[in-house]
Amino acid sequence: MRALLVTGSGATPSVESVTLPDVGPGAVRVKVRAAGICHSDLSMIDGKLSPQFPLTLGHEAAGVVVETGAGVDTVKPGDHVVLNWSPACRRCWFCENGEPWLCVTSGTPSAPGGVLADGTPVHVTLGLGALADEVVVPARAVIAVPQLLPFDAAALLGCAVLTGVGAVNNTARVRPGESVLVVGLGGVGLSVIVAARAAGAGRIIAVDVSEAKRALAVSAGATDYLVSDDTLHKSVRALTEGRGVDHAFECVGRSTTIRTAWRAARRGGRVTVVGMGAKDDLVSLSALDIFHSAKTLRSSVYGNADPDVEVPELAARVVDGSLDLAPLITHRITLEQAPEAFARMARGEGARSVVIFE
Ligand SMILES: [Zn+2]
Ligand SMILES: [Zn+2]
């Protein structure tokens, strides 16, 4: 089968032929029907997450179960499923204490998963490697969804949307009428806007580095759009009666934008870091500011969500029309066009590109 492979840190991904492992006990084989191009895949390519190479990219996908291994009773061939890159073990301390998104077994950047034609072992991104015709994954890494749900929307539920909606509903707990700032308008940032609107937020101020994302932000539900600069916190205060926003979401993963979000939040406001940054990028806040501002700074990992519960809930909302994901997808492409989509994302253009497999 074909897979989008990267041979080493900084290399350009290309479509290669990969042989998957057999479907062992507890595993399933899924024919991928749609897979999104996510920023974390870029962090695999540039080595920020230190995966093993050669590496099959992709972790935001949906498809159809085609084979199940011994002992699998949660799904059957023909079921439509969303892939879950953080499947919970349900046995560790975090799982047993209601925080499955922090499961000790999840979050490994890469895992073994197949071989190249010459026998070289291949690793797969986040245990999935979903930018491929097929994947073989543990049954707990798939979540059944209704057949009525389009595959492109289903794919996004597996990463960007669960992350964005979870940050709004589970981490920040945005209430009706509250003001929201969203810094960084990739797939996750736009998902945060969609979720904030669905949660009944009042003012939703979207921020990016240029005018290019204005139309996308407005179609997702932003009420205001600002281009980031050194005086951004003043512009935000001007829109919020001089106070700053109730909630600031940082969806970039950089110390500068975390500072921007912090400064734009009101006293007592909540700053939610959704973007994943680098380990040597330090955020500087004064001890007096931390005390006096009474703000909360919190990260949101995979939306602080239990995907097994929340993906089916989100799927139902997409099917009944109460959650509109259309503004999030700007490009539907083939697997061969995926390298171009990575370049587009690195330049900060468009929203999600989704590979559609026939
Ligand atoms: Zn992702
Ligand atoms: Zn666990």
Side-chain angles (χ1 to χ4, degrees):
M1 59 127 212
R2 299 171 309 154
L4 190 71
L5 200 84
V6 62
T7 54
S9 185
T12 303
S14 59
V15 178
E16 304 293 341
S17 184
V18 173
T19 303
L20 288 174
D22 291 337
V23 180
V28 298
R29 187 159 59 91
V30 175
K31 180 176 170 22
V32 178
R33 296 294 306 274
I37 307 284
C38 174
H39 219 274
S40 303
D41 292 308
L42 208 53
S43 300
M44 296 288 171
I45 299 173
D46 66 19
K48 197 194 268 178
L49 288 172
S50 312
Q52 304 256 264
F53 296 103
L55 177 76
T56 300
L57 297 168
H59 62 277
E60 180 182 81
V64 181
V65 175
V66 287
E67 186 183 351
T68 55
V72 173
D73 54 8
T74 47
V75 289
K76 58 184 186 310
D79 282 357
H80 291 197
V81 292
V82 168
L83 302 187
N84 174 2
W85 58 256
S86 182
C89 75
R90 305 293 170 193
R91 288 193 299 269
C92 75
W93 187 92
F94 293 96
C95 283
E96 291 198 331
N97 285 277
E99 296 183 347
W101 55 93
L102 301 180
C103 177
V104 295
T105 67
S106 74
T108 312
S110 57
V115 290
L116 295 176
D118 66 1
T120 306
V122 169
H123 291 78
V124 293
T125 293
L126 293 165
L128 300 178
L131 281 162
D133 289 322
E134 294 191 342
V135 295
V136 172
V137 296
R140 63 188 172 92
V142 304
I143 303 163
V145 289
Q147 312 244 341
L148 276 174
L149 181 68
F151 286 111
D152 52 5
L156 264 54
L157 294 187
C159 188
V161 172
L162 188 63
T163 299
V165 173
V168 168
N169 293 339
N170 300 337
T171 313
R173 299 175 188 270
V174 173
R175 289 169 304 187
E178 288 188 318
S179 55
V180 166
L181 175 76
V182 184
V183 182
L185 304 178
V188 170
L190 291 166
S191 295
V192 168
I193 295 176
V194 167
R197 181 167 69 169
R203 219 176 247 285
I204 302 174
I205 306 166
V207 174
D208 208 284
V209 292
S210 76
E211 281 290 337
K213 299 271 175 105
R214 180 185 287 272
L216 275 174
V218 169
S219 73
T223 58
D224 301 270
Y225 187 88
L226 297 172
V227 175
S228 186
D229 64 21
D230 292 345
T231 61
L232 185 85
H233 58 288
K234 290 182 185 163
S235 310
V236 171
R237 282 200 205 120
L239 291 170
T240 50
E241 298 163 338
R243 286 191 306 275
V245 288
D246 299 313
H247 297 277
F249 292 88
E250 197 272 354
C251 306
V252 182
R254 286 205 193 112
S255 57
T256 48
T257 36
I258 292 171
R259 289 258 321 149
T260 297
W262 175 270
R263 294 183 83 183
R266 67 164 169 83
R267 273 191 93 187
R270 294 179 195 182
V271 181
T272 304
V273 176
V274 189
M276 185 183 57
K279 63 183 171 193
D280 57 356
D281 187 14
L282 304 184
V283 181
S284 162
L285 298 170
S286 83
L288 177 63
D289 189 13
I290 290 170
F291 173 81
H292 180 259
S293 69
K295 296 175 192 180
T296 303
L297 176 65
R298 217 186 152 186
S299 83
S300 183
V301 174
Y302 210 2
N304 290 18
D306 185 338
D308 290 328
V309 175
E310 295 182 46
V311 165
E313 288 173 2
L314 291 170
R317 288 176 58 198
V318 174
V319 170
D320 75 20
S322 63
L323 186 67
D324 179 14
L325 304 185
L328 302 181
I329 302 174
T330 47
H331 298 77
R332 287 175 178 79
I333 60 175
T334 64
L335 189 61
E336 283 71 21
Q337 292 169 322
E340 193 183 315
F342 277 106
R344 197 161 48 232
M345 183 167 59
R347 292 194 302 268
E349 294 170 19
R352 262 302 189 262
S353 299
V354 179
V355 175
I356 306 296
F357 297 82
E358 294 308 325

